[in-house]
Amino acid sequence: MEIKKIVIAGAGTMGYSMADIFAKYGYDVVLYNHRQETLDKAKTKISEASREKIAYTVDMQAFGDCDLIVENIIEDFDKKFAFYQELDKYVKDDTIIATNTSGLSINKLSEAVSHPERFIGFHWFNPPTLILLTEIIKNDHTRDDVAKAIYDLALSIDKKPVLVNKDVLGFAANRLQLAVVREALSLVDAGVVSKEGIDDVMKYGLGFRWACLGPLETLDFGGLDTFYHVSSYLMPDLEDSHEIPKELAEHYERGELGVKTKKGFYDYANGKDVEATKARDTKLQKLFDALYKE
């Protein structure tokens, strides 16, 4: 299956970044959003090299003539489902439909479209210009040639795709991430270590090492005998709650959503949000250059 023309649905951060990247690599790209003002704002954030190569539209007729649609609208199941039902009126039967959901069921979302065998998850990570990983998630009916087409597409834009063969909530990356978050917040809540301390454990220890070695490679280098014995006494003691972590829930209920509201686990008021974002991107760029830049 050859992919030449791509329509990105949703012009938020992930959407306009995708459009920018695909255009950079020579694909015919259309960026769709139902609000013109969002499109106008997105256009100002796309690189100058790609900006004029991209078509911008609020007209759903654009979905009728493309090889691939990548959906990036709000992370809400009902709204995504309704969007797909409307989308299905316009698309050709052989157009691949992909969702950039962070963890919603690919099986359930695929029920909104005809020919669910051409529906697939295509999960990117923020900031998409620096994070190489993309997860490609099959539903129970996704054709192998569809999965291969998206896998090859990811390779063509220099991403590092991972095929997730079964649809599970959160896929692979977010299941790993939330398992770490659960244990981290359990240790903070119990007073074992401060929030600053738990972040330092990851930044200067585990995260630093995991930037070069995956968790299973780490076991091999550390010795499976060592990890076997540590597992024997530590596994029964790890946090295994099925509830949303208490401190996460409390911040959410207070409307403290992190950088976007200038307060979360840390304070981002008085320009600290801009400083923190710049510091994050600078560090990621340096790490990217050190590990992957040829």
Side-chain angles (χ1 to χ4, degrees):
M1 301 181 70
E2 189 173 11
I3 296 174
K4 292 183 178 179
K5 185 172 183 179
I6 302 169
V7 180
I8 308 297
T13 300
M14 298 302 290
Y16 73 69
S17 297
M18 280 187 190
D20 196 343
I21 292 168
F22 282 126
K24 172 186 173 184
Y25 282 84
Y27 288 93
D28 183 359
V29 181
V30 178
L31 182 58
Y32 164 86
N33 200 86
H34 68 292
R35 291 193 182 94
Q36 183 63 49
E37 56 267 34
T38 304
L39 279 176
D40 293 340
K41 183 178 180 181
K43 192 172 182 179
T44 66
K45 297 188 176 185
I46 291 172
S47 69
E48 189 174 342
S50 296
R51 191 174 301 145
E52 300 306 321
K53 297 178 182 177
I54 299 167
Y56 305 84
T57 186
V58 294
D59 187 353
M60 292 193 74
Q61 295 288 343
F63 296 116
D65 181 28
C66 62
D67 304 307
L68 168 67
I69 296 164
V70 186
E71 169 270 312
N72 290 277
I73 71 170
I74 187 170
E75 188 71 355
D76 178 280
F77 178 84
D78 291 337
K79 291 181 179 178
K80 285 185 185 292
F81 198 88
F83 173 77
Y84 290 133
Q85 289 180 314
E86 182 66 19
L87 179 71
D88 205 47
K89 300 174 184 177
Y90 298 91
V91 298
K92 298 181 297 184
D93 289 346
D94 59 350
T95 297
I96 299 174
I97 303 175
T99 175
N100 185 36
T101 177
S102 297
L104 294 173
S105 170
I106 306 302
N107 276 325
K108 291 182 179 179
L109 287 174
S110 73
E111 293 173 3
V113 303
S114 57
H115 307 291
E117 66 275 7
R118 45 82 177 266
F119 190 91
I120 197 163
F122 192 18
H123 181 210
W124 294 41
F125 295 81
N126 193 31
T129 52
L130 292 174
I131 305 300
L132 294 177
L133 175 66
T134 59
E135 291 180 299
I136 298 168
I137 310 99
K138 298 169 67 174
N139 70 59
D140 289 347
H141 304 287
T142 303
R143 297 198 318 262
D144 289 341
D145 61 334
V146 169
K148 185 178 187 306
I150 299 302
Y151 191 95
D152 290 345
L153 174 68
L155 290 176
S156 78
I157 57 173
D158 294 326
K159 290 293 185 181
K160 295 293 184 183
V162 170
L163 184 61
V164 180
N165 289 301
K166 294 183 179 180
D167 178 34
V168 293
L169 293 176
F171 318 137
N174 271 327
R175 291 181 78 93
L176 289 172
Q177 181 166 239
L178 268 295
V180 171
V181 166
R182 179 172 63 182
E183 187 62 35
L185 287 178
S186 174
L187 292 170
V188 171
D189 187 57
V192 175
V193 63
S194 67
K195 63 185 181 184
E196 293 85 1
I198 207 71
D199 279 340
D200 285 349
V201 164
M202 183 59 69
K203 289 188 294 186
Y204 305 117
L206 298 179
F208 181 75
R209 184 164 60 191
W210 285 350
C212 304
L213 297 172
L216 304 187
E217 290 174 316
T218 298
L219 265 62
D220 275 348
F221 276 94
L224 298 187
D225 53 338
T226 298
F227 281 96
Y228 174 88
H229 292 302
V230 172
S231 294
S232 69
Y233 63 79
L234 193 53
M235 287 299 180
D237 199 54
L238 292 175
E239 178 62 58
D240 62 356
S241 171
H242 290 182
E243 303 298 321
I244 296 171
K246 177 184 173 184
E247 193 169 352
L248 174 59
E250 289 174 350
H251 282 296
Y252 173 79
E253 289 162 3
R254 291 196 295 264
E256 297 169 357
L257 308 180
V259 175
K260 67 174 74 176
T261 60
K262 301 185 186 298
K263 186 172 178 60
F265 288 98
Y266 298 97
D267 175 29
Y268 301 100
N270 302 316
K272 294 177 185 175
D273 55 335
V274 176
E275 293 175 8
T277 302
K278 184 178 179 180
R280 178 203 67 174
D281 291 348
T282 298
K283 289 176 181 177
L284 284 174
Q285 185 67 62
K286 289 180 178 178
L287 184 60
F288 182 95
D289 291 346
L291 293 177
Y292 306 119
K293 193 172 183 178
E294 295 181 358

